Amino acid sequence: MRNLHIQIERWPVDRLIPSDANPRTHTPEQVALLAASIQAFGFVTPILVGPEGGIIAGEGRLQAAQALGMREVPVLVLADLSEVERHALAIADNQLALNAGWDEELVRIQLAALNDEGFDGNLIGFDDEELARLLAAQDAAQGLTDENAVPEVPETPVSTAGDLW
């Protein structure tokens, strides 16, 4: 395992240099979600930079900070990485997270608890449709069903015409 010298600092946003080779894109909607998250939770994930200020990872967070009018942001200075390692980390930082999955049952339980507390589910990053699907699945898992829901008819019926019960 490699031990890097890592230091978190606060830098002015105009000191940061976005990468012209960043393959990650950020829509205005996603930047708005990041900005809402920063407002709700604080700037809890520093931007990864090289010692000269080049952004390795976190350009979306920088755009969100700029949209919020922030003058300084936390950065994690990675001075011990080579240029090749910085480019590799820029991709790995995004791709490794995409390779993860969800334990949907645990997500449902946690979302339902947050919903019960009145927490704004839009701050979590799920779109409205996905949030509704997960919460509906949680309600169904708890035995709550829509009063108009009709169960599916089994392929092999339990009773037939003429049976007395």
Side-chain angles (χ1 to χ4, degrees), residues 136-147:
Q138 176 61 24
D139 288 346
Q142 293 176 351
L144 302 175
T145 58
D146 182 335
E147 63 188 38

Side-chain angles (χ1 to χ4, degrees), residues 2-6 49-51 77-82 85-86:
R2 180 175 176 177
N3 276 334
L4 298 176
H5 172 72
I6 296 175
V49 298
V77 182
L78 300 173
D80 298 332
L81 295 180
S82 71
E85 290 170 321
R86 289 179 199 163

Side-chain angles (χ1 to χ4, degrees), residues 18-19 21-35 47 55-67 90 93-95 98:
S19 171
N22 181 14
R24 193 69 170 170
T25 60
H26 302 283
T27 65
E29 295 80 13
Q30 195 243 352
V31 171
L33 285 172
L34 288 169
I47 296 172
I55 297 177
I56 298 168
E59 290 191 24
R61 290 188 297 279
L62 174 61
Q63 291 173 24
Q66 290 169 324
D93 181 70
N94 289 293
Q95 185 58 38
L98 293 176

Side-chain angles (χ1 to χ4, degrees), residues 61-136:
R61 290 188 297 279
L62 174 61
Q63 291 173 24
Q66 290 169 324
L68 292 170
M70 296 177 72
R71 295 175 187 231
E72 288 186 335
V73 293
V75 298
L76 187 63
V77 182
L78 300 173
D80 298 332
L81 295 180
S82 71
E83 193 65 26
V84 169
E85 290 170 321
R86 289 179 199 163
H87 286 293
L89 178 58
I91 295 170
D93 181 70
N94 289 293
Q95 185 58 38
L96 293 174
L98 293 176
N99 290 339
W102 288 105
D103 179 325
E104 283 207 11
E105 181 60 25
L106 287 176
V107 171
R108 284 185 193 105
I109 291 167
Q110 292 177 19
L111 287 175
L114 290 170
N115 194 46
D116 290 346
E117 292 295 323
F119 188 82
D120 182 0
N122 292 316
L123 294 172
I124 299 172
F126 291 106
D127 64 34
D128 290 340
E129 186 177 305
E130 183 69 0
L131 196 57
R133 182 190 71 77
L134 288 164
L135 289 171

